[in-house]
Amino acid sequence: MNKKRLLFASSEVYPFVKTGGLADVSHALPRALNNSYEVTVVLPLYSLIDRSRFGIVLLDTFEVAMGGVSYTIELHGTLFEGVEYRFVYEPLLCEREYLYGPPESGYEDNALRFGLFSYAITQMVRTEQIPLVHLNDWQCALVALLVKEDPKIISKIVYTIHNLAYQGVFDLSVLGQIGIHERYFTMEALEFYHQVNFMKAGIAFADSVTTVSPTYAKEIMSPEFGCGLEGFLHVHRRKLHGILNGIDSEHFSPVADKALVECYDSAKGKKASKSDLIKRLGLKGVTKPLFVFIGRFTHQKGMDILIETLPKIAELECNIALLGEGEEGYHDSLNTIAKQYGNVSLTFGYDESFSHRMYAAADFLLMPSLFEPCGLNQMIAYAYGAVPVVNKVGGLADTVKKFESYDPKSTTGYGIVFTSATSRSLLLAVKKSCELYGDKKHFEEIVNHNMKCDYSWVESAKSYDSIYTRLIK
Ligand code: ADP
């Protein structure tokens, strides 16, 4: 059977370049779809990407005109794990220290950079006549408008919102620079409180809009979670679907993970990993419960309530280890706490292998997120036998059931669930976790159950497949 071509566009893809969950999704979902479609993944060739490690070579060059300026685009490519990758190179887009900007703010010319990325993608769609295009987040949302504006392109567009908190909002003056006609500066299209909003282009002009969990799909139509787009999303609700993300079960598997000091399954257990990390971090007490936090140090991830609660958690009989990076204010507050408490360990930075060792060592994973479109950490935690402690929002509500209702026949994982993002609730949840940990039999039962749950991409890829099929029928 002739497989249909699918172009999957994303601003980051693991293992080439990653700042968060978008990169994991953009790596795993195309792999899961590759049997049913002829998938090409396209991303920018940032200077941070190691071209020789991945055998990335120049394939073509072409010109794109944006806002009256002509740019020479280099198109590079490689085949990796059976999937075709294309990389867009232009110095303005790619020669940067960070992908989007330093932690506190985005680069000032991001509209131009990702406008250019979008023009390059559109050019590929036009010349190669690709029938299906899947766009992700604001960085390539303009493609939806550019494709619909071009009568020569008949491609169908799926647009996925990974996080509504990042919409790509810029000053009105960028409109001319990105070559978008003023007729699109309306409430129905790009206008957003007198500014230009890239994400609105994706929502307005795509044939189908998805987001990364069923609960988040509902939440974003409310003022509390809609980030100002709740009304706009409500208008487009008929084409909005919530599809849960999965995790790459090969990459996140303690049975064969080369990053670990010792691989394990649920029968063998994770003692060696825990002892090693405790020692490495200079903590004491292997028998005490170990709580970890892995992620961006941002308001979204519950950093404020975590910092407020941390001294009280540290008074309990437990160890706490944090890995991540983010705003300077958070770093300072965390440093102050870690100096005061010997059972709090801090690792600043981004380290994929070390994060795997942390999941493997942990008894509990803290996720006090204020909102969470899907969240991958809790599913990774299941795979490595760490019990998630979560605020019940977005994807966390869809993937973590409270352990008090444990049913061995369920296919969902269990954790400690709280329902208001406050320091008090978090502290109570941690105390509950310590009690559960004290009941060894019950704790191990839950850990073993979680490790068997299937959070791979198999089911979710089928949901995307049925959306594509409907669109190209
Ligand atoms: P985000 O909102 O940041 O995208 P997700 O839960 O969707 O959050 O995905 C986070 C991914 O990034 C997970 O794979 C997690 O393990 C990883 N991650 C986050 N911070 C770090 C870090 N400092 N070092 C290594 N991996 C990290």
Side-chain angles (χ1 to χ4, degrees), residues 18-22 24-25 162-163 245 252 294-296 300-301 323-325 347-356 359 367 372-378 380:
K18 167 170 166 178
T19 70
L22 172 63
D24 287 329
V25 174
H162 292 263
N163 192 341
N245 280 339
F252 294 111
I294 300 164
R296 294 179 288 117
Q300 176 200 337
K301 298 288 175 186
L323 166 68
E325 58 192 351
T347 310
F348 292 122
Y350 188 91
D351 186 335
E352 184 75 26
S353 302
F354 187 57
S355 76
H356 287 221
Y359 287 113
M367 278 189 93
E372 195 58 79
C374 177
L376 300 176
N377 299 31
Q378 76 280 17
I380 303 171

Side-chain angles (χ1 to χ4, degrees), residues 292-337:
V292 305
F293 175 96
I294 300 164
R296 294 179 288 117
F297 294 164
T298 60
H299 186 63
Q300 176 200 337
K301 298 288 175 186
M303 247 318 128
D304 296 279
I305 62 166
L306 186 58
I307 286 170
E308 191 187 336
T309 323
L310 212 45
K312 293 180 200 121
I313 299 177
E315 300 284 353
L316 305 172
E317 272 295 296
C318 67
N319 283 305
I320 308 124
L322 295 91
L323 166 68
E325 58 192 351
E327 291 153 36
E328 219 179 295
Y330 291 136
H331 286 221
D332 294 343
S333 309
L334 289 171
N335 265 327
T336 310
I337 298 170

Side-chain angles (χ1 to χ4, degrees), residues 28-45:
L29 178 58
R31 279 182 80 192
L33 291 165
N34 207 29
N35 283 336
S36 319
Y37 295 86
E38 196 186 323
V39 185
T40 304
V41 181
V42 61
L43 69 152
L45 187 51

